[in-house]
Amino acid sequence: MSEVQILESVQIFLQRQHGHFIHGQHLEVDRQRLALINPATEQTVAHIAIGNQQDVDEAVESAQDAFINAWADTSPYERGQKLNKLADLIEFYAEELAQLETLTTGKLIHLARHLEVAQSVVFLRYFAGWATKVHGQTMQPSLPSMNGEKYTAYTIRQPVGVVAGIVPWNFSLMIGCWKIGSALTTGCTIVLKPSEFTTLSLLRVAELAIEAGIPKGVINVVTGTGETGQYLINSKHVKKISFTGSVPTGIAIAKQAMTNDLTRVSLELGGKNAAAILADANLDEILPNLLQATFVHQGQVCAAPERFFVHQSKYDEFTQKITAALQHFKIGSPLDESTMFGPLSNKAHFEKIKHFLDIAQQNDQIICGGRVIQGAGYFVEPTLLKVRDVDDPLFIEETFGPVVDVIPFESDEELISMMNHSRFGLTASIWSNDLSKALRLIPQIEAGSVWVNMHTFLDPAVPFGGVKASGLGREFSDAFIEDYTELKSVMIRY
Ligand code: NDP
């Protein structure tokens, strides 16, 4: 099949002199520029500006001004309506946004359409619904009255103010929309700093926000590198940092946030997620779902499994069937709708994955895959590795790519001990029809999300976040509200 035609509007957008999006408009700045590379071809598709302290200050001041003078006083109903309108516009321009994502991340075009863009719309609409449902409580004070006086008390939830949203490169549009939705529905304003590799779709969303009637300054986007992110998190008007990215950066940011007068911080970080395939699992039934959940977006998904634990009785059948299935993955251009597996998203990540594959090659650990595809683009094969024991470095480090380890287990005790042998605790799954066993295992697994007969599946109505080094705080459901609002207690004597 041939590649999809790049829309004229996308070509025009790419050719723009990209700046930041501050106070409702594109701000062209004379700054050092960075090339955005198409990972499938290694060709430059656009250039972005590297934001400096002055740019960040301007964006944060605009967000602070919009918070005080526009957004916090907008009625909850109106906030919900405007978020819904933004969702409508993202839906209307879906193909344009999907193509921008594919061109800069190497994400398969059907994934960009049906997951990245479509889910951005779904999540924004979910958050829009919360705007009218954030509330405090009334309570009866408990201490006895001394002289017959009475007391009553209630709480109100107030938006914290300006949020700094730091976004990684794997799902920039969708993760950016999670942060926009959480901030705006609770009455906060936001300054987004997308990854330097995948900046364009959020610049476009900020434009659409103005079309949706969201007041200028409520959503700002400053482009640039980690240094730009540093300026942002250290800004005195930033009252909350919502960070999604790697563990080392997350920990460094949290330390800084604490020294900056305890700025609130929520962290969605990495994982080395486990999938447990129990003895009763029917491999022919589960493998299509398991493979999809594992190798979606070339494994560059924080929630995807990277460690397979397979009951000893099924180990050989499992490795043979995975090997056979992976050989049928059609690797190629992400703009070709028949492609099943595209490139890694950027050169730095490609080099990191090549390093893991080299180690596995040297140690004779490759069961299938393991090769780098020669030619233009950052392509590697989806790979399954065997590990000697749970202290194998390849079993410990997050690859954030299409490199998965498999290890057999015999007893439930051994399974739980190996699954929990990790500094991470983002997600896990159990594949079995023995529901009674699954229900007994679930509480013992150290992870923020546990799925049964599914994996890598996020729903806005279900909280998401990590335990241990995988994060702090929860997104979605009603769990996000506490992070974006201050709870004020009021007591009245009468
Ligand atoms: P990084 O931590 O390198 O970067 C994340 C974001 O932080 C980027 O925008 C980056 O900018 C910015 N940044 C880098 N350094 C700083 C700094 N010192 N101060 C402020 N901002 C900074 O992660 P990646 O982008 O490489 O993303 C991959 C990681 O993210 C993986 O570990 C993955 O597991 C995790 N992740 C977690 C998710 C979750 O929900 N738990 C979801 C998606 C990814 P720049 O890119 O310009 O350097």
Side-chain angles (χ1 to χ4, degrees):
M1 207 181 270
S2 58
E3 295 199 347
V4 301
Q5 199 70 33
I6 299 298
L7 297 173
E8 198 186 343
S9 57
V10 170
Q11 291 170 14
I12 293 169
F13 187 76
L14 290 174
Q15 281 157 17
R16 277 196 201 167
Q17 174 82 355
H18 295 288
H20 311 301
F21 195 89
I22 298 177
H23 213 55
Q25 57 187 356
H26 271 118
L27 194 74
E28 280 192 18
V29 281
D30 183 18
R31 300 278 178 269
Q32 201 186 332
R33 302 188 78 73
L34 259 179
L36 293 185
I37 308 293
N38 177 343
T41 62
E42 297 184 53
Q43 285 170 353
T44 299
V45 291
H47 287 89
I48 56 155
I50 302 182
N52 63 14
Q53 179 80 59
Q54 187 190 333
D55 303 338
V56 169
D57 287 348
E58 224 172 293
V60 175
E61 273 159 31
S62 169
Q64 172 71 3
D65 180 58
F67 174 66
I68 294 169
N69 295 313
W71 199 240
D73 286 337
T74 306
S75 75
Y77 174 75
E78 216 181 318
R79 289 205 296 264
Q81 265 200 325
K82 289 185 192 305
L83 275 172
N84 272 323
K85 179 74 183 146
L86 177 59
D88 292 345
L89 287 169
I90 291 175
E91 200 165 43
F92 186 78
Y93 291 105
E95 182 62 17
E96 188 182 299
L97 289 162
Q99 291 191 4
L100 284 175
E101 275 298 309
T102 293
L103 287 170
T104 52
T105 67
K107 187 171 292 138
L108 300 183
I109 186 69
H110 62 81
L111 194 67
R113 288 172 183 153
H114 304 301
L115 183 85
E116 176 106 51
V117 180
Q119 290 299 307
S120 298
V121 171
V122 167
F123 274 77
L124 274 179
R125 289 192 178 132
Y126 179 83
F127 283 118
W130 272 113
T132 50
K133 293 162 198 75
V134 176
H135 55 71
Q137 291 176 309
T138 56
M139 57 262 302
Q140 184 64 47
S142 62
L143 293 178
S145 157
M146 304 295 277
N147 298 307
E149 77 278 17
K150 291 192 177 232
Y151 300 93
T152 189
Y154 66 94
T155 56
I156 49 176
R157 286 209 168 269
Q158 294 178 294
V160 293
V162 177
V163 174
I166 313 261
V167 182
W169 46 259
N170 61 337
F171 284 94
S172 356
L173 175 67
M174 186 174 72
I175 293 174
C177 284
W178 295 349
K179 295 184 193 305
I180 289 172
S182 314
L184 269 58
T185 204
T186 47
C188 300
T189 58
I190 193 163
V191 179
L192 289 161
K193 207 300 279 176
S195 165
E196 65 195 79
F197 300 108
T198 55
T199 303
L200 299 182
S201 51
L202 283 178
L203 281 174
R204 183 74 182 110
V205 165
E207 262 179 15
L208 296 179
I210 296 297
E211 212 176 313
I214 293 173
K216 56 190 180 184
V218 172
I219 300 176
N220 303 274
V221 179
V222 183
T223 67
T225 60
E227 202 177 335
T228 314
Q230 276 288 303
Y231 298 134
L232 179 57
I233 62 158
N234 285 322
S235 170
K236 70 175 189 314
H237 287 311
V238 165
K239 294 292 180 274
K240 177 194 161 50
I241 300 162
S242 171
F243 174 81
T244 307
S246 64
V247 171
T249 312
I251 290 176
I253 285 178
K255 282 184 184 161
Q256 268 174 298
M258 290 306 103
T259 57
N260 293 346
D261 283 346
L262 308 178
T263 306
R264 283 161 170 263
V265 61
S266 54
L267 306 170
E268 293 296 346
L269 308 179
K272 188 79 182 172
N273 308 309
I277 292 90
L278 306 193
D280 73 293
N282 178 332
L283 297 187
D284 292 325
E285 265 175 26
I286 71 165
L287 278 189
N289 279 339
L290 181 62
L291 285 172
Q292 163 71 15
T294 304
F295 294 105
V296 56
H297 193 24
Q298 290 73 257
Q300 302 165 124
V301 182
C302 58
E306 282 197 17
R307 297 180 298 156
F308 291 153
F309 298 89
V310 182
H311 190 266
Q312 183 69 56
S313 62
K314 287 275 162 76
Y315 184 82
D316 290 340
E317 184 191 349
F318 182 85
T319 54
Q320 281 157 16
K321 287 189 164 157
I322 292 251
T323 302
L326 290 185
Q327 276 159 4
H328 289 106
F329 268 43
K330 184 184 166 205
I331 303 176
S333 166
L335 284 169
D336 181 334
E337 287 166 335
S338 67
T339 297
M340 294 166 72
F341 194 81
L344 297 172
S345 283
N346 57 69
K347 189 163 198 302
H349 194 52
F350 179 54
E351 295 300 333
K352 181 178 146 188
I353 297 296
K354 278 203 297 187
H355 171 68
F356 284 122
L357 295 179
D358 283 346
I359 297 174
Q361 199 80 259
Q362 283 157 21
N363 296 334
D364 194 23
Q365 289 178 276
I366 294 176
I367 297 175
C368 69
R371 280 177 307 197
V372 173
I373 314 284
Q374 298 307 316
Y378 309 134
F379 292 91
V380 300
E381 289 178 331
T383 299
L384 184 68
L385 305 179
K386 57 187 171 208
V387 285
R388 281 177 299 276
D389 56 53
V390 287
D391 290 317
D392 187 320
L394 288 173
F395 203 68
I396 288 174
E397 257 191 80
E398 180 191 36
T399 66
F400 201 54
V403 183
V404 187
D405 312 311
V406 60
I407 196 164
F409 71 90
E410 281 177 20
S411 66
D412 292 350
E413 292 70 33
E414 188 190 15
L415 170 67
I416 291 294
S417 149
M418 291 200 295
M419 284 175 88
N420 291 341
H421 185 78
S422 172
R423 70 187 292 229
F424 300 106
L426 191 57
T427 72
S429 61
I430 298 169
W431 299 76
S432 169
N433 289 320
D434 185 344
L435 192 56
S436 150
K437 179 173 276 193
L439 285 171
R440 269 181 265 124
L441 292 175
I442 288 166
Q444 302 175 57
I445 297 171
E446 294 169 354
S449 296
V450 180
W451 290 288
V452 178
N453 294 325
M454 58 197 282
H455 203 128
T456 324
F457 192 99
L458 301 189
D459 185 303
V462 181
F464 178 69
V467 302
K468 302 201 280 188
S470 286
L472 204 61
R474 291 290 179 272
E475 309 209 58
F476 319 149
S477 175
D478 60 351
F480 76 98
I481 294 170
E482 193 162 328
D483 277 342
Y484 288 80
T485 54
E486 286 289 1
L487 189 64
K488 181 174 283 173
S489 299
V490 181
M491 278 186 80
I492 300 171
R493 179 177 185 268
Y494 63 98

